[in-house]
């Protein structure tokens, strides 16, 4: 399982993007600057910010002359005023910096206290009037703090009197006074920046696009107070579409536009962002090779001990220096002799899943967070299989195929479910579907299946007919109801009995002894389950001498086994099997069913068996 929390490990090859941004920020002539790091939700913007912060703090040439401040806009979503929270966060971070000398520390503290005093009054006012005129309160606070004490006292006495006072005061404030208030704030903040003695203050804003539209705008308005202050840089990670839409939807409301004016405001969000952001940078989407690398590293991280993973990660970092267009796949993983069992599991799992990288990429929009969530869902279902003691690799890999179909086309997922629930053995429709998927010829059970991406999933080994598809649907039944209940699974003790009775070199005595042991416990439903499991075995291993022996022995015990065996012989390539060593068993079967033309035809189709039994064509 993988946490959704950002890691300091670069599984996506994003260090190069962070390095580019660091180069922009290290040049004094580029400051002040506001950079927009754009990309879809979950594409890895937070990872780039983390890498950028680490690279600046590790760069010996600039780390001692830089302060990096990280601010998570969403974390302050519940605060009364997001604007005040952001401003306060920046001031606090500068005040708490540990690298100042005692002299610098005192100067910085003085400027911070002055700014925080004003900020405290602003916040008190906002809290006091949010129910009687929040926009008025914010406007007053932005224009200066001189009227705040009076307003606060009036709020204590009478809210309506306070509101009247605020309205009158606002009426008397002119544009020149408003500009002067903002100008003074910037001057004070510039003095604070200079007092730190640093070359650059880098503010990293994350998760802005998770905020409510009103808070998105408040954060942006707060950032505007710091724009054009020398030595200050902002890097804002956001989904540009979400932020632009928030601006477009919220600004007309704030400024009281009419419906006609709102209709003309379609482009206001984009224009606002273009004016606000000096350097936009769109994080590129992952390519198929990068998805393979990502999947490989995720499973290495999940399945390997820390020391072994560190060895793999170091190999990946070296690999990425000279192989930027190639996947770090199973072939690139260094040998781990001391962790051979975990190493083998990583190799097998990632090799199988990587086959579907193009499908996973296209279906999940090449989005790292969606890919991780999909793999987490897969891991949970694998764990459920393990709880049911279904641990074979074929079932695990077939489960992944089933989930890809579910992800791509829910209607086809439901159709496949209907095939699985129609019978306890493999349905004719599924066999037709798999045969058609292999070469795109023959009969297809439903025209809906003629879709390239789904058929590509179906044709991959292991085939659904080689596993118990009903059991896989049982652990994938989030959206399934009909036919899916706790009785769908074949009990483990029945599956274990079938395994014992079809194991290599099993004897007739062993088969009969096992049957005598379990037959009284089966009942009608248990017998159906046993036959269904035996049918699955012969479909998966049609040339298994031992499975045919068990079928032939049990066909003499119960007619249901005989009917099942005849049906299965018509579904496998019986004519090419080597079965002459079972001559005596087939002879006994013929004697018991002399009138069955179908049985005779099956035997005649196999030349070796026909000659061994001395049956003419």
């Amino acid at each position: 399982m993988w946490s959704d929390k950002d890691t300091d490990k670069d599984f996506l090859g994003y260090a190069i993007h962070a390095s580019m941004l660091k180069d922009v920020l290290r040049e004094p002539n580029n400051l002040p600057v506001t950079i927009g790091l754009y990309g879809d939700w979950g594409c890895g913007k937070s990872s780039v910010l983390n890498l950028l912060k680490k690279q600046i703090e590790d760069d010996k040439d600039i780390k001692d002359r830089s302060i990096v401040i990280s601010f998570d806009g969403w974390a302050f979503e519940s605060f009364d005023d997001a604007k005040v929270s952001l401003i306060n966060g920046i001031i606090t971070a500068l005040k708490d910096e540990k690298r100042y000398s005692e002299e610098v520390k005192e100067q910085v503290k003085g400027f911070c206290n002055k700014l925080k005093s004003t900020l405290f009054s602003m916040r008190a006012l906002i809290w006091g009037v949010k129910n009687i005129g929040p926009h008025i309160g914010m406007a007053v606070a932005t224009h200066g703090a001189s009227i705040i004490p009076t307003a606060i006292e009036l709020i204590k006495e009478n809210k309506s009197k306070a509101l009247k006072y605020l309205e009158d005061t606002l009426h008397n404030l002119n544009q020149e006074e408003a500009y002067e208030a903002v100008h003074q704030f910037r001057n004070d903040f510039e003095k604070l920046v200079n007092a730190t003695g640093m070359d650059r203050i880098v503010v990293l804003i994350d998760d802005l696009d998770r905020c409510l539209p009103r808070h998105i705008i408040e954060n942006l308005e707060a950032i505007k107070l710091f724009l054009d202050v020398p030595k200050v840089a902002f890097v804002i990670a956001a989904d540009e579409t979400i932020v632009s839409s928030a601006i477009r939807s919220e600004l007309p409301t704030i400024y009281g536009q009419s419906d006609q004016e709102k209709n003309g405001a379609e482009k206001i969000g984009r224009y606002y962002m273009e004016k606000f952001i000096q350097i936009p940078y769109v994080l590129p989407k992952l390519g198929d090779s990068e998805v393979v690398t990502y999947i490989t590293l995720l499973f290495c991280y999940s399945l390997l001990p820390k020391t072994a993973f560190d060895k793999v990660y170091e190999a990946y970092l070296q690999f990425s220096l000279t192989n930027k267009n190639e996947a770090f796949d199973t072939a690139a993983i260094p040998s781990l002799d001391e962790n051979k069992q975990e190493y083998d599991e990583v190799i097998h799992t990632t090799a199988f899943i990587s086959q579907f990288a193009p499908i996973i990429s296209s279906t999940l929009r090449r989005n790292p967070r969606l890919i991780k969530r999909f793999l987490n869902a897969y891991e949970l279902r694998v764990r459920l299989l393990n709880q049911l003691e279904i641990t074979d690799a074929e079932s695990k890999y077939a489960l992944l195929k089933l989930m890809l179909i579910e992800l791509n086309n829910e209607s086809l997922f439901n159709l496949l479910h209907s095939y699985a629930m129609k019978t306890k053995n493999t349905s004719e429709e599924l066999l037709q579907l798999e045969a058609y998927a292999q070469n795109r010829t023959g009969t297809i059970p439903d025209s809906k299946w003629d879709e390239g991406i789904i058929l590509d999933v179906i044709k991959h080994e292991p085939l659904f007919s080689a596993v118990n598809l009903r059991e896989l649907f049982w652990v994938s039944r989030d959206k399934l109801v009909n036919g899916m209940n706790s009785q769908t699974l074949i009990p483990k003790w029945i599956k274990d009995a079938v395994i014992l009775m079809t194991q290599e070199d099993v004897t007739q005595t062993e088969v009969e002894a096992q049957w005598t042991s379990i037959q009284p416990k089966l009942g009608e439903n248990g017998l159906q389950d046993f036959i269904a499991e035996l049918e699955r075995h012969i479909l998966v291993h049609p040339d298994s001498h031992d499975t045919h022996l068990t079928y032939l022995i049990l066909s003499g015990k119960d007619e249901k086994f005989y009917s099942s065996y005849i049906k299965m012989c018509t579904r496998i390539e019986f004519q090419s099997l080597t079965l002459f060593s079972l001559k005596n068993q087939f002879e006994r079967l013929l004697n018991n069913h002399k009138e069955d033309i179908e049985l005779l035809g099956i035997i005649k189709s196999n030349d070796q068996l026909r000659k061994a039994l001395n049956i003419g064509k």
Side-chain angles (χ1 to χ4, degrees):
M1 300 292 293
W2 304 275
S3 170
D4 203 33
K5 185 178 178 181
D6 304 314
T7 174
D8 60 351
K9 303 293 186 185
D10 179 21
F11 291 2
L12 298 165
Y14 280 177
I16 190 171
H17 304 297
S19 181
M20 179 273 296
L21 294 175
K22 183 193 72 173
D23 288 344
V24 172
L25 298 174
R26 72 184 299 165
E27 292 296 328
N29 291 337
N30 291 334
L31 305 179
V33 67
T34 304
I35 299 173
L37 178 62
Y38 295 144
D40 296 338
W41 173 88
C43 74
K45 301 182 295 295
S46 298
S47 297
V48 175
L49 290 186
N50 289 339
L51 289 167
L52 175 59
K53 185 175 189 292
K54 187 174 188 304
Q55 287 187 12
I56 293 175
E57 293 174 345
D58 289 346
D59 190 323
K60 63 181 182 181
D61 294 330
I62 64 172
K63 65 178 182 178
D64 294 332
R65 306 291 299 170
S66 306
I67 295 178
V68 183
I69 301 169
S70 297
F71 184 83
D72 186 337
W74 194 41
F76 294 89
E77 178 79 30
S78 61
F79 277 50
D80 294 330
D81 183 65
K83 182 185 292 187
V84 174
S85 299
L86 174 56
I87 297 170
N88 184 58
I90 294 173
I91 295 172
T92 299
L94 292 177
K95 181 180 180 181
D96 294 344
E97 173 60 45
K98 304 296 185 185
R99 292 173 290 170
Y100 300 141
S101 66
E102 288 301 318
E103 181 181 355
V104 170
K105 186 184 297 184
E106 286 302 312
Q107 292 183 34
V108 169
K109 183 179 179 180
F111 285 116
C112 287
N113 288 342
K114 180 180 179 183
L115 286 169
K116 279 202 167 190
S117 176
T118 302
L119 191 63
F120 176 80
S121 297
M122 290 165 61
R123 190 163 193 173
L125 175 62
I126 294 163
W127 177 84
V129 301
K130 69 177 183 178
N131 292 321
I132 63 169
H135 293 308
I136 292 175
M138 193 64 236
V140 172
T142 304
H143 286 72
S146 60
I147 62 173
I148 293 173
T150 303
I152 291 176
E153 289 303 315
L154 288 172
I155 288 170
K156 293 177 181 177
E157 295 178 17
N158 185 287
K159 285 187 177 181
S160 60
K161 188 185 294 185
L163 181 58
K164 180 68 168 62
Y165 168 75
L166 292 174
E167 288 175 342
D168 292 344
T169 305
L170 276 176
H171 181 72
N172 294 327
L173 285 171
N174 56 38
Q175 291 297 318
E176 185 178 344
E177 290 172 319
Y179 174 80
E180 181 57 32
V182 173
H183 182 68
Q184 185 59 48
F185 179 90
R186 287 179 175 169
N187 283 343
D188 288 342
F189 183 72
E190 184 174 345
K191 292 175 183 177
L192 169 60
V193 171
N194 289 331
T196 67
M198 296 293 179
D199 290 340
R200 64 190 60 77
I201 309 297
V202 180
V203 184
L204 308 178
I205 308 289
D206 197 12
D207 282 338
L208 186 64
D209 46 15
R210 288 192 181 192
C211 298
L212 295 171
R214 174 172 55 84
H215 287 169
I216 289 176
I217 292 177
E218 285 183 1
N219 278 314
L220 292 176
E221 290 291 316
I223 293 170
K224 281 173 64 178
L225 293 174
F226 301 99
L227 294 185
D228 301 326
V229 174
K231 302 180 183 180
V232 176
F234 282 86
V235 182
I236 304 172
D239 184 324
E240 184 182 16
T241 302
I242 293 176
V243 174
S244 295
S245 297
I247 295 168
R248 187 175 67 246
S249 65
E250 197 72 12
L251 282 183
T253 302
I254 292 175
Y255 293 121
Q257 287 183 317
S258 65
D259 290 339
Q260 184 177 1
E261 290 171 323
K262 288 178 183 179
N263 293 333
E266 186 66 26
K267 297 179 180 179
I268 189 173
R270 182 164 56 84
Y271 288 161
Y272 184 97
M273 292 299 290
E274 287 176 355
K275 199 170 183 65
F276 192 83
I277 301 293
Q278 286 91 54
I279 303 178
Y281 183 67
V282 179
L283 200 59
K285 289 185 177 293
L286 300 180
D288 289 345
S289 63
E290 291 167 316
V291 171
V292 170
T293 297
Y294 186 50
I295 290 172
T296 300
L297 291 173
L298 283 176
F299 276 100
C300 287
Y301 185 76
S302 173
L303 299 175
L304 295 175
K306 183 181 184 305
T307 54
F309 173 74
D310 289 343
K311 183 177 179 181
V312 171
Y313 187 68
E314 182 60 35
Y316 157 68
L317 293 178
Q318 293 301 316
F319 177 92
S320 62
L321 293 176
T322 55
N323 301 275
K324 295 192 182 304
N325 296 317
E326 297 180 26
F328 182 81
D329 55 15
T330 53
I333 297 176
S335 60
L336 303 168
D337 295 335
E338 67 278 18
N339 302 102
K340 189 175 186 312
Q341 183 176 347
E342 296 94 336
Y343 172 80
D344 288 344
E345 185 176 0
V346 165
I347 295 296
H348 294 150
T349 302
T350 55
F352 179 79
I353 295 178
S354 293
Q355 297 177 90
F356 300 101
I359 297 172
I360 293 172
S361 296
S362 60
T363 305
L364 298 173
R365 304 195 301 277
R366 307 182 183 279
N367 185 292
R369 182 172 290 157
L370 293 179
I371 292 171
K372 186 187 288 185
R373 287 190 172 192
F374 172 76
L375 294 177
N376 272 333
Y378 170 64
E379 280 289 288
L380 279 176
R381 291 181 177 182
V382 168
R383 292 186 183 196
L384 182 55
L385 280 180
N386 292 338
Q387 291 292 317
L388 300 168
E389 300 187 50
I390 302 171
T391 58
D392 59 290
E394 290 81 6
S395 293
K396 287 169 54 179
Y397 297 152
L399 174 62
L400 179 77
K401 290 174 50 177
L402 190 63
M403 289 180 64
L404 286 171
I405 294 174
E406 178 185 22
L407 192 65
N408 274 276
N409 193 313
E410 192 174 328
S411 65
L412 292 181
F413 176 76
N414 291 332
L415 187 56
L416 186 61
H417 168 245
S418 70
Y419 296 164
M421 301 311 297
K422 181 177 291 187
T423 173
K424 285 197 173 184
N425 51 65
T426 306
S427 67
E428 293 293 340
E429 290 90 344
L430 178 57
L431 292 173
Q432 288 178 1
L433 177 60
E434 290 181 335
Y436 182 84
Q438 295 296 322
N439 50 31
R440 302 298 202 271
T441 60
T443 305
I444 189 168
D446 194 306
S447 59
K448 296 176 184 176
W449 287 109
D450 210 358
E451 180 182 326
I453 192 170
I454 300 296
L455 291 176
D456 287 341
V457 173
I458 289 172
K459 76 177 183 181
H460 271 284
E461 298 282 351
L463 298 178
F464 287 133
S465 59
V467 300
N468 195 319
L469 190 56
R470 293 161 66 89
E471 291 179 330
L472 301 188
F473 268 112
W474 192 88
V475 301
S476 302
R477 58 179 178 158
D478 301 13
K479 302 173 184 176
L480 298 170
V481 178
N482 295 331
M484 299 305 297
N485 55 54
S486 59
Q487 302 303 316
T488 299
L489 295 179
I490 294 176
K492 185 178 183 299
W493 68 271
I494 291 180
K495 295 199 298 185
D496 288 344
V498 172
I499 291 173
L500 283 173
M501 296 169 74
T502 58
Q503 64 184 317
E504 188 174 358
D505 296 328
V506 69
T507 66
Q508 180 171 343
T509 301
E510 291 170 337
V511 170
E512 290 179 338
Q514 183 67 21
W515 176 247
T516 301
S517 172
I518 69 166
Q519 193 268 341
K521 299 186 293 182
L522 285 173
E524 185 61 31
N525 290 334
L527 179 61
Q528 292 178 11
D529 287 341
F530 186 94
I531 292 174
E533 185 66 10
L534 193 58
E535 288 176 344
R536 187 179 75 85
H537 267 259
I538 203 168
L539 282 173
V540 176
H541 308 291
D543 56 351
S544 166
H545 169 280
D546 308 291
T547 303
H548 283 275
L549 173 63
T550 298
Y551 242 129
L552 289 165
I553 293 171
L554 295 178
S555 292
K557 307 288 185 183
D558 193 305
E559 283 295 309
K560 290 185 175 67
F561 284 105
Y562 174 73
S563 299
S564 171
Y565 186 61
I566 295 300
K567 178 180 66 177
M568 301 313 293
C569 287
T570 63
R571 295 173 64 176
I572 61 179
E573 295 182 5
F574 188 85
Q575 64 278 6
S576 62
L577 300 178
T578 303
L579 299 171
F580 60 86
S581 61
L582 295 174
K583 169 192 169 185
N584 292 338
Q585 296 293 339
F586 276 103
E587 193 170 39
R588 185 180 300 111
L589 201 63
L590 275 172
N591 289 333
N592 292 336
H593 300 275
K594 295 178 182 178
E595 307 300 325
D596 193 338
I597 298 175
E598 188 174 10
L599 171 61
L600 187 61
I602 289 170
I603 292 175
K604 283 184 176 182
S605 71
N606 186 299
D607 284 343
Q608 286 185 339
L609 188 58
R610 178 182 60 78
K611 291 175 182 178
L613 293 171
N614 197 24
I615 298 174
K617 293 184 178 181

